[in-house]
Structure formats: structure tokens, C-alpha cells
Amino acid sequence: MARRKIIAGNWKMNMTPTEAVALIEELKPLVVNEEADVVFCVPAIDIIPAMEAARGTNIHIGAENMYFEEKGAYTGEISPKMLVDAGVKYVIIGHSERREYFAETDETVNKKVLKAFEHGLTPIICCGESLTQREQGITIDWIRQQIKIAFLNVTADQAKAAVIAYEPIWAIGTGKTATSDQAEEVCAAIRVCIGEIYDEATAEAIRIQYGGSVNGANAAELFAKPNIDGGLVGGASLKPDFGKIVNYK
Ligand code: 13P
């Protein structure tokens, strides 16, 4: 069975609650697509107003991060229960910006992934290589390591429902998109890796996105690749261009 595409926006640290509502009002007629899951991952403070603004539409509201503990003395953090109570289904885990600026590691990513599943949340698990790693020819080795640790103790049934976002760091916010062949090569390697950890059925079921300077002009070519099941979109998700990405065909 063909995998359903999943196209998600990552708003990053943009949009006040008021702006979030206005943006959803603007984008909601543009992002209608019955054949794909459409997710807006928004800052935590925007989740509740965004949920309200998206009510009755095909837009799912997701989170950009969560903590791996249940509750307690973790000032500033958001728990999985808070997300679930707010109606969230998807949560981005281990974005390269969180790894770089907030000291997240493959091990904390794994803890968050396990905790997300425990609460019925679908993690969008990010991986990606730096320019140096690509130039040194260690991209696939690096990604396989990230994936193997992220999925430690994750069951096959959970993995089948997971989403992986392959985001080469050098392509994020740079306007320098990976070519569709480069993106496909790594997404295919990720699927092979999932097949090794689990089995063929799990590898076939898991959805793998590409992220990094996706826009309305390059989405069609990227999403046509057999192992690319959609995108994780930063800058262009804040603009009407996101409608073109969602309706890439
Ligand atoms: P850009 O689409 O702005 O390059 O960001 C990609 C990204 O980091 C999505 O998570």
C-alpha cells in the first residue's frame, strides 16, 4: 500500500499567538489536500489558539519539542501530557537546532521518542549531517548511527507509526536544497536501516520526510521520489507558498 504523504511546517521561533491565528486563517484555504496529512508544528504558546483556529479544517497542530519526564521541577519545559491535553498528535523531536543550541543528543532524542510513544504522540524524528560530514563521505554512517540510537527500545509497531525527517544541516535555511537524488539516496538508506533494525513491513510503513529549503518550486520533484514521503518545511511554511508545497502535484 502506498504510504500517505505527510507535509509539516516547522514554524520555529516565529509567530505570536495573535499572528499564529492570522496565519492559519490565511493559509487554511490554501492547504486543503485530502491525500496528505498536513501538520503545523508551532511554538508551545501558540498551540491552543492555533488548535482553535484550525478547528474544522484538515490542519493538524503539532509541537516543536517536548521533555522526556512526566512532570516536576523542570522549569520551562513542556510535558507530553500537556501536549496531549491540548489536542496535539505530532511532536518534532531532535531538530538540528535543538541539538546545536540546546545540547540535545541522540540519547535525549531516544528518551523523548519513547516518552512520546508512551503518550500516544507521533514523533517526527529529525536526523541530518553537517557539510563537513557530507564532504568527508560519512553521511550515511552518521545518519545510521542517529537512527539506531533514536529507535533503541522502540517496538516495531511504534516504529511503523513514526515519522523521520531527514534534514541535511547545510540545507536548512540556506536556500541550498539537497538535490532530489541526494535526498532520495539518504531517505532510501534510512529505510534500509529501519528494515535492518525491524523488518521489511516496518521499513515499508514508516514515513520519511525531507527537510531543508523546501519550497513551492522544488517540492514536486522531491516528493515524487519513491522514498520521500513528504517534507518538513521551515521558512516556506510561514507563507502562502506552503499551499503550493502541500498541493505539490
Ligand atoms: P527551511 O525550510 O527554512 O530550510 O527549514 C527546514 C527545517 O529546519 C524544518 O525543520
Side-chain angles (χ1 to χ4, degrees):
M1 215 183 80
R3 286 178 297 273
R4 189 173 163 84
K5 291 273 195 274
I6 175 162
I7 299 163
N10 172 10
W11 286 12
K12 309 193 178 184
M13 197 173 74
N14 295 293
M15 301 290 138
T16 66
T18 308
E19 290 166 346
V21 169
L23 182 61
I24 291 173
E25 290 300 334
E26 182 189 356
L27 294 188
K28 70 186 184 190
L30 307 177
V31 298
V32 177
N33 179 354
E34 310 253 295
E35 290 170 23
D37 292 330
V38 177
V39 187
F40 288 21
C41 295
V42 306
I45 198 165
D46 295 344
I47 289 173
I48 289 178
M51 199 68 76
E52 195 60 41
R55 197 182 298 277
T57 74
N58 63 317
I59 301 168
H60 296 277
I61 301 300
E64 298 178 13
N65 180 36
M66 57 161 241
Y67 200 49
F68 53 72
E69 294 290 354
E70 284 295 313
K71 62 175 182 170
Y74 304 103
T75 303
E77 290 297 315
I78 307 284
S79 76
K81 237 181 178 166
M82 293 170 191
L83 296 181
V84 170
D85 188 65
V88 165
K89 176 152 188 278
Y90 297 94
V91 55
I92 299 173
I93 303 284
H95 190 279
S96 61
E97 287 149 16
R98 296 226 45 98
R99 295 176 190 251
E100 180 177 357
Y101 306 125
F102 304 100
E104 293 205 13
T105 63
D106 291 338
E107 287 73 21
T108 60
V109 167
N110 176 240
K111 286 185 184 179
K112 290 183 177 194
V113 168
L114 291 170
K115 196 45 103 173
F117 280 124
E118 197 183 311
H119 286 271
L121 291 159
T122 299
I124 299 175
I125 305 161
C126 300
C127 61
E129 83 287 3
S130 66
L131 189 57
T132 308
Q133 288 165 333
R134 175 158 287 267
E135 286 172 353
Q136 290 303 312
I138 57 171
T139 296
I140 304 288
D141 293 341
W142 175 258
I143 302 286
R144 284 173 58 86
Q145 175 172 320
Q146 288 186 318
I147 295 297
K148 288 202 173 181
I149 298 177
F151 281 84
L152 249 174
N153 299 322
V154 173
T155 69
D157 280 346
Q158 290 171 333
K160 282 190 180 97
V163 178
I164 296 173
Y166 165 56
E167 300 204 306
I169 296 167
W170 49 270
I172 295 177
T174 57
K176 210 177 152 203
T177 321
T179 66
S180 56
D181 287 340
Q182 284 173 324
E184 167 64 13
E185 183 194 10
V186 180
C187 291
I190 292 170
R191 206 175 296 287
V192 168
C193 185
I194 293 292
E196 286 170 18
I197 302 170
Y198 301 100
D199 49 45
E200 197 57 35
T202 308
E204 280 306 308
I206 199 166
R207 292 187 290 178
I208 305 173
Q209 299 172 312
Y210 166 78
S213 301
V214 175
N215 59 41
N218 60 31
E221 185 181 333
L222 287 160
F223 300 172
K225 291 290 183 185
N227 286 291
I228 302 181
D229 305 314
L232 185 57
V233 184
S237 72
L238 301 168
K239 299 187 269 194
D241 201 31
F242 195 55
K244 293 204 191 102
I245 297 171
V246 169
N247 292 289
Y248 59 94
K249 273 190 196 159

